[in-house]
Amino acid sequence: MISLQPIAHFQSPFSTKFGIPKQSGLARTLGGRIVFEPPFRNADYLRGLDEFDFLWMIWEFSANPHAPASPLVRPPLLGGNETRGVFATRSPFRPNPIGLSSVKIEKIEWETPDGPVIHVSGADLMDRTPIYDIKPYIEYADSHTNIRNGFVDGHTSTCLNVHIPETLCGQLSERQRAALEETLSLDPRPRYQHDNERIYGFEMFGRNIRFRVNETDLHVISIDRLQSVNCLSETT
């Protein structure tokens, strides 16, 4: 039996699951931070990591409290109408709730009140997600071209056109706006929902973002600051 303890937690602008990109690397402007637990706040653990551009994070689907009830899942990319074996998908509902993400290293702050902190972009994690290990991404071993991608081949997602009224943009920094637009363009809705009148909402950057989708266009309706903000909000 392996005994695991988190080495770090992830600081993300997402305080809930809804709205998070479905894969790492899709929202390249989306920032986050890896903050280490006290036993690992030693720069020696990271010596040499600043020589790499990307890293792997091994983490826990901590927001999924229920164990999977079936060996089959319904991938959202297939519209929720077809099943595949859980080990043939990237479903978050797994026998062992372990996630794997590749993210870009933006910078490493070596001296902070929380020890060394790694700033990354392109993550698909919720705020406070436990991280169990990080490893450098190595191109010659980790990158493969001209390969089959199972049911993903032939189901390439199209990006939505995002419209944010100028009257709402003042609540976000330029970088926050870019990350929000990129996240929304990926269409956060469940794949099987296509109601043009339905209003959706999710939390990001300490704000409640509400929007409506009409065919290929997404319109942001409101951006309201939350009363209590615990996630990464103002600095990303």
Side-chain angles (χ1 to χ4, degrees), residues 14 17 19-27 30 122-125 183 186:
F14 295 100
K17 291 188 294 183
I20 298 176
K22 295 177 175 62
Q23 304 290 341
S24 61
L26 296 183
L30 185 61
D124 54 343
L125 279 69
T183 299
L186 299 172

Side-chain angles (χ1 to χ4, degrees), residues 97-155:
I98 300 297
L100 178 67
S101 298
S102 173
V103 294
K104 187 176 188 301
I105 302 172
E106 295 293 344
K107 67 177 181 179
I108 300 176
E109 276 190 286
W110 294 100
E111 296 182 7
T112 81
D114 296 318
V117 172
I118 306 175
H119 294 250
V120 302
S121 59
D124 54 343
L125 279 69
M126 193 173 75
D127 193 54
R128 298 300 301 165
T129 294
I131 299 174
Y132 291 104
D133 201 1
I134 61 172
K135 302 175 186 289
Y137 179 101
I138 301 174
E139 185 176 20
Y140 83 87
D142 297 341
S143 178
H144 306 279
T145 60
N146 300 319
I147 62 172
R148 297 184 302 155
N149 297 283
F151 65 86
V152 179
D153 287 333
H155 289 85

Side-chain angles (χ1 to χ4, degrees), residues 3-212:
S3 178
L4 298 178
Q5 63 171 320
I7 63 164
H9 281 79
F10 196 75
Q11 289 187 348
S12 164
F14 295 100
S15 57
T16 62
K17 291 188 294 183
F18 186 74
I20 298 176
K22 295 177 175 62
Q23 304 290 341
S24 61
L26 296 183
R28 298 178 184 272
T29 58
L30 185 61
R33 294 196 289 248
I34 300 173
V35 179
F36 290 88
E37 294 300 300
F40 305 100
R41 292 178 181 177
N42 182 333
D44 284 346
Y45 280 107
L46 305 182
R47 186 182 298 177
L49 186 62
D50 52 357
E51 299 171 4
F52 294 86
D53 286 332
F54 287 82
L55 61 79
W56 291 105
M57 294 189 298
I58 301 172
W59 49 277
E60 178 186 354
F61 287 104
S62 54
N64 296 341
H66 304 295
S70 169
L72 298 174
V73 296
R74 297 180 182 274
L77 195 61
L78 298 178
N81 299 318
E82 300 181 39
T83 60
R84 293 290 189 277
V86 65
F87 297 140
T89 74
R90 295 193 175 189
S91 168
F93 298 98
R94 319 186 68 80
N96 293 307
I98 300 297
L100 178 67
S101 298
S102 173
V103 294
K104 187 176 188 301
I105 302 172
E106 295 293 344
K107 67 177 181 179
I108 300 176
E109 276 190 286
W110 294 100
E111 296 182 7
T112 81
D114 296 318
V117 172
I118 306 175
H119 294 250
V120 302
S121 59
D124 54 343
L125 279 69
M126 193 173 75
D127 193 54
R128 298 300 301 165
T129 294
I131 299 174
Y132 291 104
D133 201 1
I134 61 172
K135 302 175 186 289
Y137 179 101
I138 301 174
E139 185 176 20
Y140 83 87
D142 297 341
S143 178
H144 306 279
T145 60
N146 300 319
I147 62 172
R148 297 184 302 155
N149 297 283
F151 65 86
V152 179
D153 287 333
H155 289 85
T156 303
S157 299
T158 57
C159 291
L160 299 175
N161 302 310
V162 178
H163 306 276
I164 304 177
E166 288 297 327
T167 53
L168 301 178
C169 291
Q171 299 193 45
L172 302 170
S173 69
E174 184 176 341
R175 184 173 180 179
Q176 287 174 336
R177 177 178 177 178
L180 175 61
E181 288 181 345
E182 191 172 29
T183 299
L184 290 173
S185 73
L186 299 172
D187 195 350
R189 300 174 301 167
R191 297 275 179 175
Y192 54 84
Q193 292 186 1
H194 302 283
D195 185 352
N196 292 341
E197 299 302 318
R198 181 166 180 172
I199 296 176
Y200 300 86
F202 69 98
E203 297 177 6
M204 184 178 182
F205 296 125
R207 277 94 169 163
N208 183 26
I209 314 292
R210 299 173 74 240
F211 64 91
R212 180 187 287 120

